Amino acid sequence: MERNASGIGRALLRQLDIYMRLTRLNRPVGIWLLAWPMLWGLWVASEGRPDQQVLIVFMLGALVTRSAGCVINDIADRDFDGQVRRTRDRPIASGELGVVEAIALFIALGFIAIGLVATQNTLTQLLAVGGAALMIGYPFMKRFVSVPQLILGLAFAWAIPMGFAAQTGEIPIVAWHLFGITAVWAIIYDTMYAMCDREDDLVAGVKSTAILFGDADRFVIGALQFTMLLALFLLSGRLELGPWYLASLPGVAAFMGYQQYLIRDRDPDACFQAFLNNQWIGLTVFVGLALHYLYA
């Protein structure tokens, strides 16, 4: 009896581990890359005092949406992942989990997301439909377009107009300013991510900006980093942000410089570290905004 219970416990833990790896809950960097710009938007929309219920729903939404995005990505890429060294051990590609079970998990996460967005106003619900389309469509874009990172950027940035809609009932120009910053940022960090797999992706036939940019990858990333930094500076003028926010921008620039150092030789492990480092850019900008509104 005890042996049976122990066996059942081990089986449940193994299944939980598979689900954790499939949804990447064991690697939460993606949640933060989605959550930080969402939090930028909520703090700007509310002038530092977001509605508590909206904040909780959107934080849970970031967790659920990113998890669902990882599941649909692995379903779509199941034939490619086995050809890429970094992804061949993912649960679907390795055969640990069947496609039908993964689809069931995706549907379950989708229902949770629908339940969360149902608590918000009509405009937010309508925007959520567009966000869902971007999330589901992104994994398949790698087959057809050379800049799938742009689609990812639009998907990750979509939380900003949704946050403004939930908090204020409208989407002002500043929301689209933040939307553009986030889309550019996603192209930056996801190009670094794609640089890890460039050689394998060429063999597998997967398209990416890392392949598109070729030997100009570091230059293009640098140009996009400068564009993002300039847009963050211009945001201070649009919103009359004070010294706390402005003090965060040299920190952002320092992280960008460090990332350029990491990708200098295009070593896959170093490029992955550069990708991970971007979560600190998101935190730095948020701290600048939060301190501005706290002491304004």
Side-chain angles (χ1 to χ4, degrees), residues 8-221:
I8 293 171
R10 282 195 298 271
L12 288 173
L13 287 174
R14 182 176 177 275
Q15 197 68 20
L16 179 61
D17 175 68
I18 291 172
Y19 286 156
M20 289 280 287
R21 288 187 287 118
L22 178 64
T23 57
R24 313 287 197 278
L25 289 175
N26 60 324
R27 295 183 176 180
V29 61
I31 298 171
W32 289 115
L33 291 174
L34 178 60
W36 286 130
M38 176 199 74
L39 291 171
W40 302 347
L42 284 178
W43 251 251
V44 170
S46 66
E47 296 185 341
R49 296 172 178 80
D51 180 272
Q52 188 174 22
Q53 190 255 7
V54 170
L55 179 60
I56 291 172
V57 165
F58 271 71
M59 286 302 295
L60 291 174
L63 175 66
V64 172
T65 301
R66 193 263 183 159
S67 298
C70 290
V71 175
I72 192 65
N73 180 82
D74 286 9
I75 292 171
D77 286 355
R78 62 189 182 277
D79 294 329
F80 292 127
D81 282 345
Q83 304 175 58
V84 178
R85 279 165 290 185
R86 190 180 53 79
T87 61
R88 62 177 54 146
D89 293 330
R90 287 178 175 174
I92 300 177
S94 66
E96 292 179 271
L97 191 73
V99 174
V100 173
E101 190 172 353
I103 291 173
L105 177 60
F106 176 75
I107 292 172
L109 290 169
F111 277 118
I112 295 172
I114 290 170
L116 289 171
V117 80
T119 65
Q120 303 302 298
N121 59 38
T122 303
L123 178 57
T124 307
Q125 293 172 8
L126 291 173
L127 287 168
V129 175
L134 286 167
M135 178 193 68
I136 295 170
Y138 161 69
F140 300 95
M141 293 297 103
K142 297 176 230 180
R143 296 158 174 76
F144 308 112
V145 299
S146 297
V147 288
Q149 280 69 26
L150 174 60
I151 310 301
L152 178 73
L154 298 178
F156 271 46
W158 203 254
I160 293 174
M162 283 184 63
F164 272 85
Q167 184 68 46
T168 69
E170 58 184 11
I171 310 172
I173 293 296
V174 68
W176 298 113
H177 188 136
L178 285 166
F179 180 91
I181 290 172
T182 304
V184 169
W185 185 33
I187 296 172
I188 292 168
Y189 61 67
D190 206 49
T191 299
M192 294 174 181
Y193 187 79
M195 288 169 71
C196 305
D197 305 325
R198 178 158 36 200
E199 301 308 317
D200 289 335
D201 284 348
L202 283 167
V203 174
V206 176
K207 299 179 184 295
S208 74
T209 46
I211 294 172
L212 177 67
F213 298 156
D215 291 340
D217 49 5
R218 289 188 61 208
F219 174 79
V220 176
I221 288 172

Side-chain angles (χ1 to χ4, degrees), residues 232-267:
L232 285 168
F233 175 74
L234 293 176
L235 183 69
S236 67
R238 182 184 292 276
L239 294 174
E240 298 182 352
L241 300 173
W244 286 109
Y245 172 79
L246 291 172
S248 73
L249 299 187
V252 171
F255 283 123
M256 288 177 171
Y258 177 58
Q259 292 162 18
Q260 281 288 335
Y261 172 77
L262 287 172
I263 66 174
R264 68 193 186 284
D265 296 322
R266 300 179 177 87
D267 174 74

